[in-house]
Structure formats: structure tokens, C-alpha cells
Amino acid sequence: MSDITTSFTRNSHSPAESLEASASLHDECEDKSSATSSQEVCRDLKAMQPRWAAVPLRARLRVLSRFNRLMLVNAPSLIRLIADHASLDVMTAEILPLMAASRFLCREASSLLKETRLGWLGRPLWLQGVKTSVVRKPLGAVLILAPGNYPLMLAGIQTLQALVAGNSVALKPAPGRTAVLHRFLVLLEQAGLPKGIVQLIGEDSGPQAVSSGYDLIILTGSAETGRKVALAAAETLTPTIMELSGADPVFVLPDADLALVARALHFGQRLKDGHTCIAPRRVFISEAQKRPLQRELYRVFGGEGDNSAPDPSSKLAQFLCSAKSAGGEVVVYGKTQVVFLNASQARLADIDLFAPWFAVITTHSVEEAICLEGAATHALGASIFGHEHEALAIARRIPAGTITINDIIVPSADPRLPFGGARRSGFGVTRGREGLLALTRPVSISTRKRGAFHLLPRLRQWHGR
């Protein structure tokens, strides 16, 4: 296998030979996918990763370009493999964003990952004669713990970014999502990815995989799962990126278009039936806006529904019971449970709960709403409705990692944007430029040239006195 690495390095200026060498690696790695234990998978991926990293970046990007074309052709089969979600949702929220991210990487990765040479400007005088550059190196073998709500888009983008950066990948599907990720992997291999560089592991293999010693773990999941993964990863000093759940606020300013707010809330609840980490959950409005917003919700959501109450043992039912006990009001609009609270009850809605629900929280002022958000435990996404200038000022004060103004959720699918939160919503970022760089580590390389002052014979004699 070392001969393959040498061949890739020697032929780094020949695209045709690089692709031929990549195909050779594909054949040689074919039997690696038979590894059964988590430790063996991790060990195999670490052994193969340097050979994949030695494939020139332009050859790796050609795999993505071919993969993108295959995605479009195979979209119907991918949609069928996520049968519990509406076909339109799968196409618009899974397949199209993944294809956009792939195109983004093909356009931008070369400039983002290229070596940065530092010139003389700003260099300390005592380093005269030293040439310095910064290169980006892959982290190694990356473990991706995929979610169930966006099984293709989130795991797919993370995988593509890891591969472009030169990493190998172990991909663990959420329960019931193996088929779609297996199809994703088949398309990657049809596009030219060497077999074994990405390995699909069992849905129940998470605890063992987390303890196997990967070079990075990326989790998309709940705060509770994040805590368990972080504790296990600490045993092997494995770094992690945590993309955890949110309880996203919506700030409705006094001049906001309430009809637009109602449509945005409806979209946020309809998308994936409320199973979206950046769905709107806590809507801050003034007392004067409460009744007008209720009328808009009634109109947009289709009136008060007659749905049966949720399962009494469910987390949603427990939340609704707590809200009522605290003096809140619960109204069902369409299929969505809407809880009306005041500022003193706002903390009840700061919860990680995937279901069709949101809370409307009346406050005395926008400033009070900002203070309530400052005390919240989640900080993933946020939306602000109202005059753009004031909304931008609020955006700079709140802790969320993804903020939309007079819009909701959709702009976050822009492949150029990083995605990540703070507090109980996690740490680190995936996606966008920053997400790609997070899958590498910067390495500085300094070369002493003629004219450097240090290590000169006379200086060495002087230091010895």
C-alpha cells in the first residue's frame, strides 16, 4: 500500500494518472469493508486514510462532481428510502441542499484548502531569512453519528466535507436509516470513491464506535445524547463537534408583518412535521400583538383543530400539562399545539422537544424578550421579524448561531453558511467554509534560508559566553 501513496505523490501533477491510481486504491481496499468490530473499523479507516489524503484534491473533487450527477438521476429512489417524510420535503430539504453543498465544495475547496504562504510583511525582524507557510492537513478517521430527522442531508454534507478534506469516514445511521445511507454510499462509490474509505456501521454500534479512538466525532442529536458522547469521547481525548437541538426564538417587533409571521410559523411546523432542530419554538410578542397574531394563526393554520390529545406518557403531553398547571393556555391550530405564556412562564418553553408545537410568549418590551433569550439554555437558531435595521441590531445581541431576518429556516440551507450552536445546542460548526476547515488542522512549516540571524556561528559563540 505504501507504493500507492508514493505513486499518488509522484503523479500529483497528472490528473489522468491520479484517477488511475485512485481506481487502483478502490480495488485494493475492497476487502476492507468486511471488518466487524468497531475497533477494527476504526483501525482500518486510519490505515487507509493517508492513501486517500494522498489523492490530489482535484481528483477527489471529480468524485463529487460525478456524485452530484448521480444524485439527480437517483433522486426518486432516495425519496422512496425516506418514506416516512413527504416526497416534497425529501427533495427540497434533503436532496437539493446536499447537491448544492457538493457544488459548493467543487467550487471553493481548492482555494480554502490551499497552502498559505506568509510574506515578509509583518514578520518579526529577528526572523529575517525564514520562509513560513500554513498548510491544512486532514484530521484522520472521522466518526459521523447521523440523525433521523435529516438522515441524508446532514450526514451527507458532513461526509462529503470530510472526504474533500482528505479524511476517511465511519458513518453510523440513526435507527431505521441504514437503507438511505447505504444508497448514498453506493452512489459515492459509483462516482469513483475507493471502497472502504467510507464505512457504514451498525445502527446500534454508537457506544462502541465512540470509544474506539477516532480522530474526530461529529454528532447531530439531542443534548442528552451529546452529553453521553462527550463523556465517552473524553476517555480517549477525541475532539467532537456537537450539533444539538434548539428551542429557537422568534422575535416579533412592533412593526412586524403578522401575516408573514404566521406563514413562517406554519412553514416551520409543517417542515418535517416539526422534527426540525431549528423549528420555531418560542415566539416573543407584545400584549398588543397577541390577538392579531391569533387571528392570523387561525387563518393560516386552518382554524382550531379537533385532534385527539397526545399520548399522556409523551414528552409533549407532559409539557402541555406543565404549561397549563403554570397558568398557560393551550390552543390547537390545525395539527399544531400552540401554548400561550407570559414572560414569567417563558422558561417552560426552553425545552428540547421534537413535535408540532410552539409557544407564544407575551413580553412588555423587545428588551425583555432579549433578556429572556439571554437566560435560555439553548442557542441554535433564531428569527427576527420587523424593520431590518432594528432586527440587525438584535441579531448582534443574541447568542444563536443561525439567524434569519423576516424569514425562517430556509436560508440556513445556503451551502456557504456555517451551522452550529452554543450552550445546550452544542459547539463547533459543520457546513460552509468553516465546516470544511473544521475537518482539517492548520500546520505551520518554517524553513530557514540564507540570511537568517539565528544559528550563525558567531551568534552561537556569543550565546555560549
Side-chain angles (χ1 to χ4, degrees), residues 4 7-8 11 14-28 55-56 59 62 66 192 194:
I4 295 176
S7 174
F8 286 149
N11 295 310
S14 171
E17 292 179 3
S18 297
L19 286 174
E20 185 178 337
S22 181
S24 174
L25 174 60
H26 187 294
D27 296 336
E28 190 162 345
V55 175
R62 278 196 288 273
R66 291 190 291 269

Side-chain angles (χ1 to χ4, degrees), residues 70-80 90-91 95 99 187:
L70 288 170
M71 275 279 292
L72 188 59
V73 173
N74 288 272
S77 65
L78 291 166
I79 290 172
R80 287 194 294 271
V90 177
M91 190 67 196
I95 295 173
M99 292 177 63
L187 293 179

